[in-house]
Amino acid sequence: MFRLLILLAAVALAAWGLMWLADNPGVVTVTWGGVEYQFSLMLALGVVAAIAVFWSIVWGLLRFVFRIPSLMALSARARRREKGLAAVSRGLIAVGAGDTRSATKHAAQASRLLEHEPMVKLLRAQAAQLAGDRQAAVAAYNEMLEHHETHGLGLRGLHVEARRGGDHQAALQYAMRASAHAPAAWAGQAVLDDRARRGDWTGALATVDSNAAARLIDKPTANRWRAVIKTAMAEEQMDRDPKGALALAQEACRLAPSLVPAAAIYGRLAAASGDYRRATRALENAYAQTPHPDLATAYLRVRHGDSAEDRLARARTLARVAPNDPESMLTVGRAALEAHDRDAARTAIAPLLASDSPHGRPTRRVCLLMADIEEAEGHEGAVREWLGRAARAPRDKAWVADGFISDRWAPVSPSGALDAFVWRTPDERIAAPAEPGPIEAEPAAPAPAIPPPAPDAPPAPPPAAAVPAAEPPRSAPAPAPAARAGIIIDPATMPPDDPGPGESEDERRDFRLYAGE
């Protein structure tokens, strides 16, 4: 709008000048070779304007002629750059598609056409990684360190290559250099993972604080990770410094009230110190958000020396916090069995055994609890039936991370990630053994020869009709050492072990340990 006003003002000013010249005519006298030439002022101005236009055209043509070499060089550079960018684009597409040959070819072409372009260095490094040439990839990333624009990218590439090569110390150094150069989320996470993997909880806590101060992680995530680290520290200090562990667990509960291990540790330590009220409240708050057997165990044993009836009463009190959760029913059922109230135990877990139960099929813990109830009543046949059902039952909730199933929480997963273990039901693929398929009948062995009876012996009775024996329930294999250490191995990968009629009590106890009871 402002430019339009200026243009209109200039046009109006030119029109006013022409009108003024028309109202005030003049004469221009030119002497050339002793002869005077007189022209009107308007004509003189028109001639001057025509000469100016002509000279501008001539000057433009002369400039174009003299600039032809430079214009040709500029056009060649533009075409070269266009070809180089096209090679970079095709090379990145080839890297994404996993085409090693095309990626290497386009990377070489782009390097020849665009030598100092940052994207070309990235393409060369990625093409070398795709081809498995670690030396070329490291060399490309080292070249990136020489330029400010690609310095951070080069450090991250060197960090990734160091981790792939198993040199975790060098990977940590690259991450620390990147954090010092320009704080980045990947660098802060790499430093945190390394310190957590080595159990350096003090350094891990300082790293979380620095990442939160640099706004690399949000506040809820920072509080959650602080709680996990403090819980790990409290778990290590429980035996040698109970008071310090209690303070750490209390701080962890404040930062993350739903963190089950923190609440369980705080409940046990607070109860040991005689603060039953706070221990009970902390356990109930955590149980309301995440019903967990560790919380239930700590809650039932807040007061040492309680009778089995007292623990049953506390179990019923805790069950009112989450009345519809299977963990509450199992807690009441187990406490009732310990109190020798088998009818109450059956009633507690009856909703989990119903065919139309919203919780689905009975899990292993439910089947094993029913086996214990039947054993307490002396029904050996029912015990074997429930143990057989437990071998094929869905797995209960467990701590799962990176494809590993553990019965104990850990602050770091096997891959080194902090707070990776999640309390959930494992996938069926790794949680339950495959249903047994049809079993082919083995060829019958030849019947052994029966010696003739002695002359004075009575004749042998005729053989009874053969009655097909029912297939005995399958039992799970004995627990592997990894299962006892906390990691449960997929039973689908282990051969079944059908117990014979004379199954011992030790074998049954081993099965219960394997099934997570």
Side-chain angles (χ1 to χ4, degrees), residues 71 120 127 152 197 208 225 237-238 244 284 426 434 441 450 465:
L71 291 176
V120 175
R197 187 186 301 110
V208 171
W225 286 352
Q237 298 180 16
M238 284 180 61
E284 288 179 350
I450 301 176

Side-chain angles (χ1 to χ4, degrees), residues 437-462:
I439 301 177
E440 298 180 2
E442 296 182 357
I450 301 176
D456 55 349

